[in-house]
Amino acid sequence: MPDDSLQPDPDEDLVARARSGDTRAFDALILKYGEKLYGLVYNMTSHKEDTHDLLQDIFAKAYHSLPRFRGQSSFYTWIYQIAVNITLNFLKKRKRRSGMSLNELDSSVQQDPALIDSSHMANPEKQSKLHELQKRLNEAMLSLSEAHRTVVTMFDIQGIPHAEIARILNTSEGTVRSRLHYAHLHLQSKLQDYWE
Amino acid sequence: MKPNIEEIGSLLALKRHERPEEGYFDDFLREFHQRRRAEESMKRGPAGWWKQASEWVSNLGASKWAYGGGMAYVAIAAVWLLVPRGADTKPPPATNVGHDVRVPAPVVEQLDALDLRSTTQGRTGEQEF
């Protein structure tokens, strides 16, 4: 995990080349951060097609904004900021849209094969139990506010430290910890009926 | 019974294994560059098409030589088909000149006047005129 304050940006060279018009250097940055950003957006939206479209928008925005990137933060922090902002804006719009209900999202999440952990595929009973639990977890995740879902996704799923999350969200570490605490309480209460 | 925070953390951590399908980012990159090129050419107008084409060629790598050869072949074939060849050319249509044309006297008469007998100075088969 890059730390902006202590180390030079490991992507400095790729960023410089991409800024001078080297599309292969930008491709390398997409391949380096694409999977992580996919995980972030997918866990925030719970929708594959939306994730794909948002990821295209995120990298397009980064590509066009690259000349304005001053290197005050690492490229990693910067592109995460773009991803979080674009995804949160999208979620606000989606909330306002009448056509997309939470129930529709729930069903698409439940049927999504990406949500089944492949390490448990060999044991059908265990896998079925886990699948049920993950289904409930996804439902509980979707019932979180966007701000809470964002910190849970970054901290619990992606393993990003509090300080880095605070930098990405441009907020204090205390706020990040507080959001996490309330989000965990919410998830605990949502999952208590299914926990043995 | 409620799960504790660590248990919730472990359950959420399983979601780290969620990945897009194999080859997803190959298609993603292709689509990304298509969209980028389309946006740029929309902005620049006709001048953008040339830059887009040259950028496309420079991104082809070694296969650009195959494309170049193919394009050269097509260009030569087009030139061969489109440029008129000698056998196909026709003379311009005849036009009325508007005055009498005098036909010259028959050449046969002039030939009759020539002395075609062999001379003593020439060798066999040779003639002097």
Side-chain angles (χ1 to χ4, degrees):
Chain A
M1 186 68 50
D3 187 338
D4 293 11
S5 54
L6 298 175
Q7 293 170 341
D9 190 348
D11 302 315
E12 206 178 321
D13 178 50
L14 282 176
V15 170
R17 281 166 49 202
R19 283 176 74 165
S20 64
D22 183 349
T23 51
R24 288 205 179 91
F26 197 77
D27 286 357
L29 290 167
I30 291 179
L31 293 174
K32 187 172 181 183
Y33 294 114
E35 262 194 20
K36 274 208 156 237
L37 292 175
Y38 184 96
L40 172 81
V41 178
Y42 182 65
N43 282 298
M44 284 171 75
T45 60
S46 302
H47 200 278
K48 268 187 164 181
E49 282 80 28
D50 288 344
T51 301
H52 175 79
D53 292 342
L54 284 168
L55 213 55
Q56 287 284 348
D57 293 346
I58 289 161
F59 282 113
K61 170 90 178 162
Y63 186 81
H64 293 304
S65 305
L66 212 52
R68 292 193 296 276
F69 174 61
R70 297 274 166 251
Q72 286 164 337
S73 65
S74 66
F75 177 79
Y76 167 86
T77 304
W78 182 71
I79 199 156
Y80 250 81
Q81 284 170 337
I82 292 175
V84 169
N85 287 336
I86 287 181
T87 309
L88 287 176
N89 282 338
F90 167 80
L91 289 173
K92 275 180 204 158
K93 280 181 204 161
R94 189 168 79 176
K95 217 179 196 176
R96 286 200 293 268
R97 270 199 327 243
S98 54
M100 199 80 163
S101 74
L102 192 63
N103 286 336
E104 279 173 15
L105 272 180
D106 279 343
S107 62
S108 79
V109 168
Q110 285 162 22
Q111 287 158 14
D112 199 326
L115 296 176
I116 303 167
D117 177 22
S118 57
S119 62
H120 291 83
M121 289 296 271
N123 185 338
E125 196 190 337
K126 204 172 178 181
Q127 199 246 305
S128 155
K129 227 173 175 179
L130 187 75
H131 182 65
E132 177 64 22
L133 201 57
Q134 280 193 321
K135 212 165 87 175
R136 300 297 164 199
L137 181 68
N138 290 327
E139 285 171 359
M141 279 282 283
L142 285 167
S143 68
L144 288 171
S145 71
E146 277 97 29
H148 286 168
R149 203 185 313 153
T150 306
V151 289
V152 167
T153 300
M154 286 201 269
F155 182 78
D156 292 302
I157 301 176
Q158 303 214 290
I160 303 173
H162 296 107
E164 185 66 30
I165 297 173
R167 262 197 293 272
I168 292 166
L169 299 178
N170 201 19
T171 187
S172 69
E173 264 191 71
T175 305
V176 173
R177 286 177 194 276
S178 163
R179 284 180 192 171
L180 268 175
H181 175 71
Y182 284 106
H184 287 157
L185 288 180
H186 180 86
L187 293 175
Q188 268 185 316
S189 69
K190 284 279 178 183
L191 291 171
Q192 61 181 343
D193 296 339
Y194 307 98
W195 199 260
E196 293 167 7
Chain B
M1 183 187 162
K2 274 185 183 179
N4 62 38
I5 300 301
E6 284 73 33
E7 286 168 329
I8 285 183
S10 314
L11 196 60
L12 285 165
L14 284 177
K15 286 163 78 64
R16 279 177 205 173
H17 300 288
E18 292 165 11
R19 295 268 190 278
E21 58 269 24
E22 194 101 347
Y24 171 81
F25 280 102
D26 295 334
D27 297 335
F28 183 89
L29 282 177
R30 209 168 299 127
E31 189 184 327
F32 176 77
H33 288 298
Q34 274 172 2
R35 282 167 72 158
R36 187 179 58 78
R37 279 193 289 264
E39 277 171 22
E40 282 175 6
S41 59
M42 285 259 288
K43 272 184 207 166
R44 287 188 201 133
W49 288 101
W50 177 249
K51 193 173 182 199
Q52 185 183 334
S54 54
E55 200 174 274
W56 177 75
V57 169
S58 68
N59 284 332
L60 281 174
S63 58
K64 70 182 167 194
W65 300 112
Y67 279 99
M71 283 173 79
Y73 177 80
V74 168
I76 291 166
V79 167
W80 188 79
L81 287 170
L82 295 173
V83 172
R85 278 160 287 156
D88 293 338
T89 51
K90 288 176 184 169
T95 51
N96 192 359
V97 292
H99 59 83
D100 293 336
V101 177
R102 185 169 294 180
V103 179
V107 181
V108 182
E109 287 174 18
Q110 292 174 8
L111 285 173
D112 289 346
L114 286 170
D115 182 11
L116 296 174
R117 287 173 299 173
S118 60
T119 57
T120 52
Q121 290 168 341
R123 286 178 303 194
T124 309
E126 281 187 356
Q127 282 186 338
E128 282 190 353
F129 295 99

